Amino acid sequence: MRSTKETTIITYGTFDLFHVGHVQLLKRARALGDRLIVAVSKDEFNASKGKSAYSSYEDRKTIVEACKYVDLVIPEENWEQKRADIIAHSVDIFVMGDDWEGKFDFLADVCRVHYLSRTPDISSSLIKQHLDKSKTESEAALA
Ligand code: C2G
């Protein structure tokens, strides 16, 4: 008897300055099942990660919701919520980029844990560095 249950995927992140690395992660995560839930880090939680996002949680949520691979966005408020989220949403596969390789294996008793390779040469911090450099160069040119 084939299972009719949809395969639900979940992933977590800040998704600031939405870029191709985020898109490729969400596209490949969604391809593992039928439904993708994305937990987007709240601003307060980002602060605890030592990250200050350019865009507010509301704006980052709106942008991620607009991505065609995403079915639902929920807030990420702390490190501890993952297990409860997985159970509450009947998640089959937990997915993260492999910069997190091994860090979430403790969830393997409630769902499959899968790490996807990161997209090279792109990150929110690289974008910020590039913009800072361009700003410095244009200020120097005007001096
Ligand atoms: N990512 C990627 N390739 C990149 C950049 C990011 O595949 N070039 C992936 C990351 O591995 C992560 C996701 O995109 O799976 C979101 O990345 P961030 O927004 O940087 O999220 P992060 O700060 O890692 O937060 O509880 C987990 C945390 O919320 C993860």
Side-chain angles (χ1 to χ4, degrees), residues 65-102:
E65 280 172 341
C67 176
K68 68 179 183 179
Y69 303 115
V70 177
D71 297 284
L72 172 68
V73 172
I74 61 172
E76 180 184 30
E77 304 185 86
N78 56 64
W79 289 109
E80 295 74 31
Q81 70 182 76
K82 293 182 176 69
R83 184 175 293 275
D85 292 346
I86 287 163
I87 293 163
H89 293 279
S90 310
V91 168
D92 301 283
I93 311 173
F94 169 92
V95 170
M96 286 301 291
D98 63 5
D99 46 318
W100 292 94
E101 182 86 34

Side-chain angles (χ1 to χ4, degrees), residues 109-124:
D109 61 318
V110 285
C111 68
R112 269 182 55 202
V113 176
H114 191 76
Y115 300 98
L116 293 168
S117 56
R118 272 176 74 92
T119 302
D121 310 321
I122 183 76
S123 70
S124 310

Side-chain angles (χ1 to χ4, degrees), residues 11-16 19-26 28 39-41 45-46 49 51 76 78-79 82 94-100 104 116-124:
T11 190
Y12 292 71
T14 303
F15 295 99
D16 191 30
H19 56 65
V20 68
H22 295 141
V23 173
Q24 295 296 0
L25 187 283
L26 297 174
R28 289 177 294 157
V40 173
S41 312
F45 179 53
N46 263 332
K49 286 196 270 183
K51 288 181 110 169
E76 180 184 30
N78 56 64
W79 289 109
K82 293 182 176 69
F94 169 92
V95 170
M96 286 301 291
D98 63 5
D99 46 318
W100 292 94
F104 299 109
L116 293 168
S117 56
R118 272 176 74 92
T119 302
D121 310 321
I122 183 76
S123 70
S124 310

